[in-house]
Amino acid sequence: MDIACNTDKARRPALRAWASPAICYASAFAIPFGILVATFALLGIYPFGDVSVMMHDMPVQYADYFGWLIQVMHGEGNLLYSNAAGLGGGMFSLFTYYLSSPFNTLAWFFTPETVPQLLSWLTLLKIPACAAACLGFLRGRFLAPEAATWREARALAAAAPTTSQGALVLLSCAYALSSYVLGYASNIMWLDGVIMAPCALLGVWRLMQRHACAGLFAAAAGAIWFNWYTGYMVCLLCVLYFLYELARRTELRGRRLRTCGRFAAVMALAVGAGIPVLLPTALSLLGGKGAHAGLASLAFETGLARNPLAVPDLFGIGTTPGITTQANRPAVVISAFALVGAGTFFANKAIAGRDRVAGGVLAGFMLASLVLPPLTTIWAGFVPESSYTNRNGFAILLVLVMLAAESLLALRRLPARTAGVRAAVGGGIVLAAFAVSAAFLRFVKHALPQKDELVLLECILLASFTVLIAALALVGKAAKGDQRALVPPAKRTDAPKAATYALCALLVAAFVGEQAFDAQAQLRKCIHTVSGYAEDLTSLEDTYSTLSAGQDGFVRVGNTSAYWSNGRKGGGKDNGSDNMALMLAYSTFDHYSSTQESRIQELLRNLGYSKVTPFGTYYMSPNTVADALLGVTNIIDDGQPAAAQADGSAVPRGSWRPWRNELALPLGWGTTGTAQVSWSDDPFANQAAMLADAAGLDGNAAEGLFTAPDVRDADETETAGTNAAADGSASASADDVSRQFAITAQTDGPLLLFFPTLYLDDIYYEGGIACSLSVDGTNVQTIGRRGSCNIVYAGTVSAGQTVNVKLTPANTAQVAYHDDGSTTTVDEALYQPSAEEAVKAQVLDVGSLQNQLSRIDSAGFALTAYENGRIAATFNAAQDETLVISQPYEDGWTATVNDKPVEVQAAYDGLMGIPVQTGDNVVELRYLTPGLVPGAVVGIASVTLFAVWRIAARRRSMLQDGE
């Protein structure tokens, strides 16, 4: 019996070493998962209803990327290139930014139509994974800080008090359920950074504590591979955390330089292991959104993002992030439990003064990015944020959670009364800071980011958690034995232990209730439906699959209708395009990503399609001349475009019907011109110049293409008809804010409109002054927003015909902010300019257009292959000339003509040009992501070098131990 008892006692520590962490990790996963499931059920989010978890950018951007990824997984797409990414574009950088997470392997089991369901499951998996990763860091750092081996660390962590382990579980859940994770989860790829950040910090700690390098190497490299954007932030956080721990650890004196060298080597090799992702992506971004990046971006970041007194209020419960930069509300809400714990760090005498100073410096630096725009821009990779302010919010919250964890566990080292007082002081500091911030915003700024009742709720939560933590510090000490040892055994009771259990239960209940409340506040913005997405995609497939093909089966679509309209008023594209056509493998203009080649964006801007913004390119209205040059074979519009015929075989999409463009050139055509144009701010002049050059004509030929009509302000007689109300009476009034113009045509032809004073080109992130445009009383489109800065087709007119054009501002208080800091108001953009300045109108001479198109050498072009990343054709050139392929120029293209390599040139600064000779030419173009091969070489070399280094270090250590 004694032997059996002794054996049982011996097994208990081993059993606890496995059971304790298993219970903790299971709890860290189960609590956020359960809260999310309950919130989904309450709000009717799939799988508990038809509401989709998609919000913000998810339905218009990421959902379509996942649909494309599903096709690639099943062999129906190319990971490196897609002809359907706008007019065509490289895809590897898009993949590495949005889709390279290992969680996304789950997409194999879904279809493009069921992507909303996939996103729900990814959300339910990734958010609990954030908690599990954070718990791993907190346990490794604070429950076994001095452990020399992993086995010893596991045993020490398992032996820690249950209350300590429970506190770390709750803090980990607070990190996972923060508003950054829930509010910014629409950028679901950023959650990989939230997961990898604590893993990387644990790697830093292990490197400093026991010279273990593999954890940091794997975590940093993995963060880059899974999402290089947040991976950059993770690496930057690792540097800051290393300096923080280096300043604290006095035992490293004399060894700091060696420790710094080891850390630098590991981080350098980890970045090297990520070079296969970083190098191709960097090269791609230099031609896209990254063209605006660099140290120069910091020069324009002047002033403060917000008053420092307003910062505490940002952490209040229920505060939802403002996605636009104008809203200026970052996602940094976190549990009041974590905030009180972080505040206690600075009042806790169990933590050395040196350590508290170091913690204050680190926390202050992190929080400074909420106030100082240059710091925010550095965290964002030296690219000014266009939306989703303070994208480094997860790093700020992780630092606060880390300080809270150390503080709450350190309270156990203080006498009971002192621990309670210090907890009360720390919580009181946080409560006072929040109250002062709220009062400042309410009584000085007269604005709060949340309702008054939410401010009161946050104050109650801060006070409640302060009381609970202080009470647990007092009662927990008594239950543990600090006071019980002085009490005679006969008089001892279990009251302290029972009180501890009760307080813990209250704390957990308060925490779960708080997180459930905030989760529904963050996810209540979900308005799109699962079925709506599938219906829109299916209707688009029905239309696109029935379009009549052009020459050699080539199809390029100009679609004026919105692809994704579920939940949108009117379903327009005035705020930018989406990517639903990406899944249909058709060449279109619409593409929305941060990685699109800037040269094609600039070309489309010059031709009057869309302005250059991070929000992509789009097709809003038929653009007759440019459509012909760019080979637009099919136009989907709710009215008949000029020189187009109904496509009888195609299925209409709602009120939008497909039309065949009779003027479209093939994908390739020859020109004896220079294939270059001196672009101006006038898109009509640009179109005429490009057409004349393509036709091999001199500049004088451009003058007969367009005729300017007479443009003037309309008088009351001319506006009465267009302002008629339903009962026939005139509805114009003295307070009418619209401005109306009378446009009288001098010739017959399509009437085209452009609005230079409303389309403000140097406003990079937005469009200008938004107005609704109507022609002869019929609403045509919104203009002036970032997705509606285009030439507008206003119908075909006859000589002498007068057309009434009406512009109505969406809001007379609009103000557009220029890059140089100046502003433009509605008055300055709409009312003050003359009629000729406000409305740039031209009537196209279709006969002249057809004549010039006939001079372009296109009859000898025959497309033999049009695949993702490969174009093959034959071209019988009439003379030595340049073969223009109306596909976006990118550095990754190479070409052969009759099996001989030739240089691919940038024709018209955005298309591909290939020199050919008179007669038959067999042309083939292939695309390979720039930097992919050298990046792979560097990555393999970095991993190999790290492995050799660590194997050699291990052998050296073993030899030393043997001696």
Side-chain angles (χ1 to χ4, degrees):
M1 181 65 71
D2 292 338
I3 295 175
C5 290
N6 291 335
T7 303
D8 184 58
K9 290 179 180 179
R11 288 175 179 172
R12 287 176 186 173
L15 180 63
R16 180 179 175 84
W18 287 107
S20 177
I23 292 172
C24 288
Y25 284 111
S27 300
F29 192 93
I31 291 173
F33 184 82
I35 290 173
L36 285 174
V37 166
T39 304
F40 278 26
L42 176 67
L43 300 178
I45 298 175
Y46 178 87
F48 302 99
D50 192 44
V51 178
S52 169
V53 75
M54 298 189 302
M55 59 180 172
H56 306 315
D57 283 349
M58 253 192 192
V60 299
Q61 197 171 9
Y62 308 145
D64 306 328
Y65 298 157
F66 276 95
W68 168 79
L69 178 65
I70 290 169
Q71 293 178 327
V72 171
M73 285 180 167
H74 292 87
E76 299 173 4
N78 188 315
L79 187 64
L80 302 184
Y81 194 89
S82 174
N83 292 325
L87 298 178
M91 296 296 287
F92 187 72
S93 58
L94 185 148
F95 169 77
T96 58
Y97 182 33
Y98 299 101
L99 300 168
S100 58
S101 167
F103 285 90
N104 294 345
T105 54
L106 188 64
W108 172 271
F109 302 100
F110 292 81
T111 65
E113 290 79 9
T114 59
V115 162
Q117 292 92 315
L118 166 64
L119 293 172
S120 279
W121 291 116
L122 286 175
T123 302
L124 289 171
L125 289 175
K126 279 192 171 188
I127 292 179
C130 295
C134 184
L135 180 62
F137 165 56
L138 298 182
R139 285 174 59 87
R141 172 61 182 87
F142 298 114
L143 294 186
E146 304 302 327
T149 64
W150 177 80
R151 187 183 299 273
E152 181 183 350
R154 189 188 67 184
L156 289 174
T162 302
T163 52
S164 296
Q165 302 202 49
L168 298 188
V169 169
L170 293 186
L171 288 173
S172 301
C173 293
Y175 175 69
L177 292 170
S178 63
S179 69
Y180 183 94
V181 174
L182 292 170
Y184 282 179
S186 55
N187 299 282
I188 196 164
M189 68 281 185
W190 291 356
L191 297 190
D192 287 86
V194 181
I195 295 169
M196 297 307 298
C199 298
L201 296 196
L202 180 59
V204 173
W205 172 253
R206 286 176 173 171
L207 179 143
M208 301 185 73
Q209 172 61 21
R210 54 179 186 259
H211 302 166
C213 301
L216 176 59
F217 176 81
I224 295 170
W225 270 92
F226 302 158
N227 180 250
W228 64 264
Y229 186 66
T230 54
Y232 158 78
M233 299 181 199
V234 169
C235 291
L236 182 55
L237 179 62
C238 284
V239 174
L240 296 174
Y241 179 66
F242 174 79
L243 295 175
Y244 164 70
E245 293 288 3
L246 191 68
R248 295 183 53 171
R249 293 177 63 79
T250 56
E251 64 271 23
L252 288 177
R253 288 175 182 170
R255 293 188 291 118
R256 281 194 170 93
L257 185 60
R258 179 179 297 179
T259 303
C260 290
R262 183 180 292 108
F263 172 78
V266 173
M267 290 299 295
L269 291 172
V271 172
I275 285 294
V277 167
L278 291 175
L279 182 58
T281 303
L283 293 175
S284 173
L285 288 177
L286 288 175
K289 187 176 180 178
H292 298 267
L295 292 174
S297 63
L298 303 180
F300 299 100
E301 303 288 354
T302 59
L304 300 178
R306 56 182 56 84
N307 191 303
L309 287 175
V311 169
D313 191 73
L314 299 174
F315 294 87
I317 188 171
T319 304
T320 55
I323 300 308
T324 64
T325 52
Q326 292 83 358
N328 201 24
R329 285 201 312 274
V332 290
V333 175
I334 195 168
S335 171
F337 176 63
L339 294 177
V340 171
T344 304
F345 178 88
F346 302 101
N348 193 339
K349 287 188 174 181
I351 301 173
R354 176 193 184 98
D355 297 345
R356 281 184 281 167
V357 170
V361 171
L362 177 61
F365 181 84
M366 300 300 295
L367 292 172
S369 63
L370 297 172
V371 176
L372 302 176
L375 280 182
T376 303
T377 303
I378 291 172
W379 276 103
F382 296 91
V383 179
E385 295 172 337
S386 59
S387 55
Y388 298 96
T389 56
N390 293 104
R391 302 176 182 195
N392 64 316
F394 73 95
I396 298 173
L397 298 177
L398 182 56
V399 168
L400 294 180
V401 165
M402 177 187 70
L403 298 180
E406 181 171 4
S407 177
L408 295 179
L409 269 59
L411 286 175
R412 300 180 63 87
R413 302 199 299 267
L414 294 174
R417 181 171 296 179
T418 304
V421 170
R422 289 298 165 183
V425 171
I429 292 172
V430 176
L431 176 57
F434 181 81
V436 168
S437 177
F440 165 77
L441 292 175
R442 166 56 66 195
F443 298 111
V444 178
K445 295 296 185 180
H446 306 291
L448 282 169
Q450 68 280 87
K451 297 178 181 179
D452 290 346
E453 52 266 33
L454 292 179
V455 175
L456 178 60
L457 177 59
E458 180 67 18
C459 290
I460 293 173
L461 287 168
L462 289 170
S464 299
F465 281 116
T466 299
V467 171
L468 288 170
I469 292 171
L472 274 170
L474 289 168
V475 177
K477 284 283 186 176
K480 190 177 71 170
D482 290 0
Q483 309 297 332
R484 285 168 65 89
L486 303 177
V487 179
K491 296 184 178 181
R492 292 178 188 172
T493 68
D494 290 331
K497 185 176 292 187
T500 299
Y501 291 154
L503 288 171
C504 287
L506 281 174
L507 193 149
V508 172
F511 177 85
V512 171
E514 172 198 38
Q515 296 305 290
F517 178 87
D518 194 63
Q520 64 83 27
Q522 302 295 334
L523 295 176
R524 194 170 289 279
K525 290 186 176 183
C526 298
I527 59 173
H528 304 294
T529 64
V530 170
S531 59
Y533 184 87
E535 290 168 3
D536 274 14
L537 181 55
T538 300
S539 71
L540 195 64
E541 289 173 332
D542 291 342
T543 297
Y544 275 51
S545 64
T546 57
L547 292 175
S548 298
Q551 177 181 333
D552 305 318
F554 174 72
V555 175
R556 175 164 287 167
V557 184
N559 188 356
T560 67
S561 70
Y563 297 114
W564 167 248
S565 60
N566 184 12
R568 289 191 187 181
K569 294 181 179 179
K573 291 193 281 188
D574 49 281
N575 276 322
S577 61
D578 60 38
N579 301 279
M580 197 171 260
L582 177 65
M583 293 177 285
L584 305 177
Y586 282 91
S587 177
T588 68
F589 288 73
D590 296 272
H591 188 63
Y592 175 16
S593 81
S594 301
T595 60
Q596 188 179 26
E597 170 64 49
S598 65
R599 280 171 286 206
I600 192 62
Q601 293 181 352
E602 291 168 358
L603 175 63
L604 295 183
R605 185 266 312 275
N606 291 332
L607 294 177
Y609 285 105
S610 56
K611 69 173 293 182
V612 178
T613 74
F615 306 104
T617 54
Y618 49 84
Y619 188 97
M620 283 289 287
S621 180
N623 195 353
T624 311
V625 177
D627 285 351
L629 291 170
L630 295 182
V632 179
T633 60
N634 304 79
I635 299 172
I636 299 176
D637 198 10
D638 55 359
Q640 183 172 2
Q645 300 297 322
D647 189 343
S649 65
V651 175
R653 185 167 184 248
S655 61
W656 285 273
R657 301 188 63 84
W659 306 87
R660 288 280 303 138
N661 184 12
E662 303 294 331
L663 300 178
L665 294 175
L667 180 66
W669 41 268
T671 177
T672 57
T674 62
Q676 297 296 325
V677 170
S678 296
W679 303 110
S680 69
D681 294 331
D682 183 351
F684 299 112
N686 291 338
Q687 290 184 6
M690 181 175 174
L691 176 63
D693 184 84
L697 302 172
D698 58 31
N700 294 328
E703 298 177 359
L705 187 63
F706 294 106
T707 301
D710 176 62
V711 180
R712 55 187 173 80
D713 283 296
D715 56 34
E716 293 183 4
T717 303
E718 293 169 314
T719 62
T722 58
N723 289 329
D727 60 1
S729 60
S731 64
S733 61
D735 60 351
D736 189 358
V737 297
S738 63
R739 184 178 179 184
Q740 300 191 53
F741 306 88
I743 299 178
T744 303
Q746 308 299 316
T747 58
D748 300 343
L751 174 64
L752 303 168
L753 307 175
F754 192 71
F755 306 93
T757 61
L758 298 175
Y759 300 164
L760 304 176
D761 198 54
D762 69 327
I763 298 178
Y764 180 57
Y765 292 109
E766 294 298 334
I769 301 298
C771 298
S772 62
L773 166 67
S774 65
V775 176
D776 286 338
T778 301
N779 184 62
V780 177
Q781 72 167 65
T782 297
I783 63 171
R785 288 202 174 102
R786 64 192 182 204
S788 56
C789 299
N790 58 287
I791 288 176
V792 180
Y793 171 57
T796 299
V797 296
S798 303
Q801 179 181 348
T802 298
V803 174
N804 181 274
V805 171
K806 181 178 179 180
L807 294 174
T808 306
N811 184 345
T812 56
Q814 292 177 80
V815 178
Y817 295 90
H818 297 265
D819 290 342
D820 61 3
S822 61
T823 61
T824 295
T825 64
V826 173
D827 188 60
E828 294 168 334
L830 178 60
Y831 303 125
Q832 290 183 9
S834 66
E836 292 81 3
E837 291 173 331
V839 181
K840 180 76 173 179
Q842 295 288 348
V843 176
L844 173 65
D845 186 337
V846 177
S848 176
L849 171 61
Q850 292 173 324
N851 178 56
Q852 294 191 45
L853 288 174
S854 67
R855 294 174 176 269
I856 298 174
D857 187 7
S858 62
F861 182 84
L863 192 63
T864 58
Y866 187 63
E867 305 166 358
N868 294 317
R870 178 176 176 265
I871 299 173
T874 60
F875 181 54
N876 190 317
Q879 52 199 315
D880 292 355
E881 55 190 346
T882 299
L883 173 63
V884 176
I885 304 294
S886 55
Q887 192 95 349
Y889 173 86
E890 290 189 36
D891 293 332
W893 284 103
T894 57
T896 60
V897 176
N898 296 326
D899 296 324
K900 295 180 181 179
V902 296
E903 181 183 359
V904 180
Q905 304 166 351
Y908 304 107
D909 298 326
L911 306 178
M912 290 190 286
I914 302 167
V916 294
Q917 296 180 339
T918 305
D920 293 332
N921 297 271
V922 178
V923 180
E924 185 171 11
L925 295 97
R926 290 185 178 273
Y927 180 85
L928 179 64
T929 303
L932 186 61
V933 173
V937 172
V938 173
I940 294 171
S942 297
V943 173
T944 303
L945 183 58
F946 177 81
V948 170
W949 174 36
R950 297 320 301 162
I951 291 172
R954 183 175 179 81
R955 291 187 63 184
R956 185 166 57 251
S957 176
M958 293 174 64
L959 289 173
Q960 291 174 351
D961 292 342
E963 294 175 357

